[in-house]
Amino acid sequence: MTFIKTYESYVRKANFYEVLRFKRKAIEVMKEISSQPFSNLEIGSGYIYIGFMYKDLKDLTSANHYFESALNLCKHERYPYSSDYKKIIENFVGNGEFEKASKWNEHLIERASYEKKFLSLKEINLK
């Protein structure tokens, strides 16, 4: 395994493989971040990236595992709103994980206390 110095360098390398349609190799690269001295937000972001690659591969269970790992890792961190959160909640719903969808949707909506855009998650159909 080659040591890559920055989080961004992992993302660039994974993007390279993803563009070449080697999603599993890109996932492998991104999985290495958990053993590096990166912040919780960087590792969480990497897990979300992995989750979306699994989603593209139609492996919703693995995708949701990484989405939930990211949300758990960063639940006490302050981070900005992203439209990806809606896709994550919808992925939980699409895989029949309604309890997780509801739990994490509520958690994210609470973040409206510092960024109002999180309120848009109230519109998600959790059924």
Side-chain angles (χ1 to χ4, degrees), residues 51-116:
F52 279 115
M53 285 189 284
Y54 274 123
K55 183 178 186 276
D56 290 347
L57 292 170
K58 310 289 187 240
D59 183 347
L60 300 186
T61 301
S62 293
N64 287 347
H65 166 76
Y66 279 94
F67 292 148
E68 186 163 44
S69 294
L71 292 167
N72 269 320
L73 183 66
C74 299
K75 67 182 168 189
H76 300 296
E77 305 283 340
R78 189 175 173 140
Y79 49 82
Y81 174 80
S82 166
S83 59
D84 286 343
Y85 299 124
K86 181 178 182 192
K87 295 173 192 168
I88 290 169
I89 301 302
E90 288 171 343
N91 206 65
F92 286 134
V93 171
N95 202 38
E97 297 178 63
F98 304 109
E99 193 174 304
K100 280 183 189 177
S102 179
K103 170 189 167 184
W104 289 112
N105 197 49
E106 287 176 28
H107 174 80
L108 290 167
I109 289 169
E110 288 172 8
R111 293 174 174 278
S113 65
Y114 67 84
E115 188 169 339
K116 297 292 179 211

Side-chain angles (χ1 to χ4, degrees), residues 13-63:
K13 187 174 180 182
N15 280 332
F16 172 77
Y17 286 118
E18 191 176 5
V19 167
L20 296 176
R21 300 189 189 270
F22 294 120
K23 284 197 191 294
R24 295 204 184 278
K25 182 66 178 167
I27 288 169
E28 245 179 72
V29 169
M30 289 308 292
K31 282 183 178 180
E32 292 177 20
I33 64 165
S34 63
S35 64
Q36 300 301 321
F38 298 134
S39 72
N40 284 352
L41 288 176
E42 288 171 321
I43 293 170
S45 176
Y47 286 170
I48 289 172
Y49 185 164
I50 292 168
F52 279 115
M53 285 189 284
Y54 274 123
K55 183 178 186 276
D56 290 347
L57 292 170
K58 310 289 187 240
D59 183 347
L60 300 186
T61 301
S62 293

